[in-house]
Structure formats: structure tokens, C-alpha cells
Amino acid sequence: MYPSYLESYNNGSLAKLAAQMFNSLASCEICPRKCRVNRLKDEKGFCKTGQRAMVYSYMPHHGEEPPISGENGSGTIFFSNCNMGCVYCQNFEFSQQGRGKEVSCEELADYMLQLQDMNCHNVNFVSPTHVLPQILKALLIAIPKGFKLPIVYNTGGYELPEVICMLSGIIDIYLPDMRYSEDEMAIKYSSAPGYPEYNRRSVKLMHGQVGIAKINESGIMKRGLIIRHLVLPQNSSGTDKAMKFIADELSPETYISLMSQYFPCYKAEGISQLSRRITLEEYKNAQESMHRYGLSNGWIQESGGLDRFQGTNIKQSL
């Protein structure tokens, strides 16, 4: 069945997983931080989120990768707060400073249905990691009301592999970041110890679940994996090692979104290594890393562009 979660709903496994995940908030260990606070009693750990999810906005979004946004837009729900602490986050007002409002699972389900009514191609959960239990409960509410759009799991990539395992048969489209190749950089700039190991293991599981991106004749992605890699100044993101991992451990056919949009905001202006945009040479070096390992599917960004993606194939775009 498509989307995949419909079969999980029909056989009862979705309800079982939603209950299990929601109850686990009593001692929260759903991300690598394992804060073990009782979120059911509104205790808050690193993500500053209690029992209810917080939402900053929801809307059809036209700035994602072309097969995600399509003509009608991606039905994007931006969650407030995050399990990462990136000093350069462009969305810091709600990801780090907590702007937004608490919503019930019923309200979240209603947002999903509204986005479907707007003819969006999918529902795109941005920064879903810390509110996954609430998302699953909302999905249970939305399905009997007619919800049937594929879900995009749009994550910063700081995930527990064992949680990603549980999402098999639920998520059709994974859109993770591969932000860092070195733990030192992950700790220094995102307060995310162990990021490279957790990220790589989780992305490998995502690939195993949904495979290479499958794009239909209308140019819309129905299932699969797209990996985002944000190029940071002075190679802080470790691009070459990331590309080698993707080619060697996943597939050279993997779709990659190589992003040049970095600019210093939030706390980055006061950090010498991050206080400027990337240079054309740095972005060219990142593209060359992709070529070196035979990676040819995906998108590069226009020079200086913040959210416009080029071309259909990296080899054609360079």
C-alpha cells in the first residue's frame, strides 16, 4: 500500500508504535542525548519540549528540492526547538529560541489535513526528531479522516539508529542532513557529541528502508532518500569524507543536495571560522569531491542562492 503507513495502520503496528513511543517520553531517550526527563509531566531536557509539540508555522513550501516541492509545494510543518544546538542556524528564532505555540496531537493532525486540502504533494516534518511520538499520534488521528499524503522526514540527522529502525513501514521519504564528518566540529558548532557515528548509522538504515529516490513521470518524489550536505567555511563539514561514505556505504546513485546557502547568523558572526560565507573555491572543491566518488544524482545551488536548486543531475549542472 502507498503511502507505507496505511498498511501499518491497517495491521495495528502503527498504533502499537505510537503508544510505545509516547509512553517512552516518561524517561525520554528518543534521540542521542537521552536526557531521561519525564516529558509526560512537562519536564524539559535539551530540546525544551514537554508533552506537547510546538509548531512555528505550516504552509505549502516551494523552496525544497524540485521533486519534494513540485508544482503545488511541500506541505511543510516547522517544529519549534531542536535536539541540536547549531550556532549558525538560520531558523534560530524558533529552533533555538523557542518561538511558536504548543499544539495538541489533534491540532497537528488538522494541520496535516489542511495541507492535503491545499493539494501539497507531501507533508514535510521539519526537525521532527524530538516530537516523533506526537507525530505518530497525530498520524493515527489523521488517517481515518482521509489523510493519505507521503511523509517527508526532514531531519538535522542527529538520530538514534534504533529509533530509525522503528520507522520502517511508516516513512516513505527521508531528507536527512549529513552535517559533519568530525566529532570535534559537531560538538563545537552544534553541541552534538557523537554526531558522525549516529548520523551515518541512521542514514544507512534510511537507505536500507527506502532506497534510491524514486521520482515519477511528473517529477515528484514518491519514495526514497535525499541527503543534504551544507558546505561550511574552512571545510568544517568534512565534505570529502561525507561523499566517500555515501558512495562506499550507500550507493553512487544516491541523490545529494549540495547546499551553498550558508551565511553567518545567530552566533556565527562572533566565531572566526564561521564568520563569512563560503567562497566559490570552497563550493567548487565540494563539487569535485562528489565527482571523485562518482556521485552524479542530485542538485547544486546557484551561486549565492539561498533556496533555489539547479538542474536535474549534478553532472549536467556543473
Side-chain angles (χ1 to χ4, degrees):
M1 299 182 71
Y2 184 82
S4 298
Y5 59 72
L6 292 178
E7 183 173 352
S8 298
Y9 176 81
N10 289 336
N11 65 28
S13 60
L14 176 58
K16 183 178 179 181
L17 177 61
Q20 176 186 347
M21 289 292 294
F22 200 79
N23 290 337
S24 75
L25 294 177
S27 179
C28 188
E29 296 183 344
I30 64 174
C31 88
R33 298 193 181 280
K34 297 187 176 181
C35 296
R36 298 184 177 91
V37 296
N38 189 345
R39 291 175 58 187
L40 295 179
K41 293 184 177 180
D42 273 334
E43 295 177 6
K44 298 175 182 178
F46 186 93
C47 72
K48 303 174 186 175
T49 304
Q51 182 180 136
R52 289 191 171 198
M54 290 185 66
V55 171
Y56 178 71
S57 65
Y58 65 101
M59 60 184 176
H61 186 34
H62 296 273
E64 303 284 41
E65 289 77 2
I68 300 292
S69 289
E71 291 293 326
N72 300 334
S74 177
T76 305
I77 300 177
F78 289 95
F79 290 105
S80 304
N81 302 317
C82 185
N83 75 328
M84 296 177 69
C86 302
V87 296
Y88 49 82
C89 184
Q90 297 175 20
N91 298 326
F92 69 91
E93 290 182 341
F94 59 90
S95 71
Q96 304 300 317
Q97 296 179 346
R99 291 193 183 180
K101 72 168 189 173
E102 288 189 348
V103 298
S104 66
C105 294
E106 289 77 12
E107 288 174 296
L108 183 54
D110 184 61
Y111 296 167
M112 295 161 64
L113 290 162
Q114 287 184 51
L115 292 166
Q116 179 170 270
D117 289 343
M118 295 177 196
N119 295 317
C120 293
H121 298 290
N122 47 63
V123 164
N124 182 347
F125 294 118
V126 180
S127 300
T129 310
H130 62 297
V131 290
L132 179 57
Q134 293 87 340
I135 289 171
L136 295 176
K137 285 194 73 172
L139 184 58
L140 276 177
I141 295 167
I143 291 171
K145 295 182 179 181
F147 182 72
K148 56 183 179 182
L149 291 181
I151 291 172
V152 179
Y153 194 82
N154 184 344
T155 169
Y158 196 35
E159 300 282 348
L160 272 184
E162 50 265 44
V163 171
I164 297 301
C165 280
M166 295 178 184
L167 295 179
S168 180
I170 308 294
I171 305 298
D172 279 299
I173 300 171
Y174 282 108
L175 186 58
D177 289 338
M178 289 195 76
R179 193 73 62 84
Y180 302 105
S181 294
E182 301 293 340
D183 200 40
E184 177 186 359
M185 297 294 104
I187 294 169
K188 188 175 183 179
Y189 298 134
S190 293
S191 300
Y195 180 96
E197 177 67 16
Y198 286 119
N199 178 257
R200 291 182 178 192
R201 288 172 58 201
S202 294
V203 170
K204 196 169 183 178
L205 288 167
M206 295 174 188
H207 173 78
Q209 290 177 21
V210 299
I212 304 299
K214 298 166 184 66
I215 300 170
N216 68 15
E217 62 280 359
S218 300
I220 302 302
M221 185 169 173
K222 307 302 288 184
R223 184 175 170 84
L225 170 73
I226 295 175
I227 296 173
R228 285 175 166 172
H229 182 75
L230 178 66
V231 182
L232 294 174
Q234 299 186 45
N235 195 33
S236 299
S237 46
T239 300
D240 195 76
K241 289 182 178 179
M243 297 304 127
K244 185 177 189 305
F245 170 82
I246 293 167
D248 291 350
E249 300 294 328
L250 305 183
S251 167
E253 299 301 313
T254 302
Y255 279 72
I256 297 168
S257 180
L258 189 69
M259 300 189 293
S260 64
Q261 67 193 51
Y262 174 80
F263 68 96
C265 58
Y266 191 34
K267 301 177 180 179
E269 289 186 352
I271 301 171
S272 59
Q273 192 166 349
L274 299 178
S275 61
R276 60 168 174 82
R277 300 196 68 146
I278 65 170
T279 64
L280 291 175
E281 182 179 4
E282 285 171 327
Y283 194 58
K284 181 181 178 181
N285 289 340
Q287 294 174 42
E288 289 175 350
S289 288
M290 300 182 71
H291 280 303
R292 185 176 303 116
Y293 299 110
L295 297 161
S296 61
N297 286 328
W299 302 269
I300 61 172
Q301 285 185 303
E302 298 170 351
S303 177
L306 294 179
D307 59 5
R308 297 292 295 175
F309 287 79
Q310 273 193 313
T312 57
N313 184 281
I314 288 167
K315 285 183 177 177
Q316 296 172 354
S317 299
L318 294 177

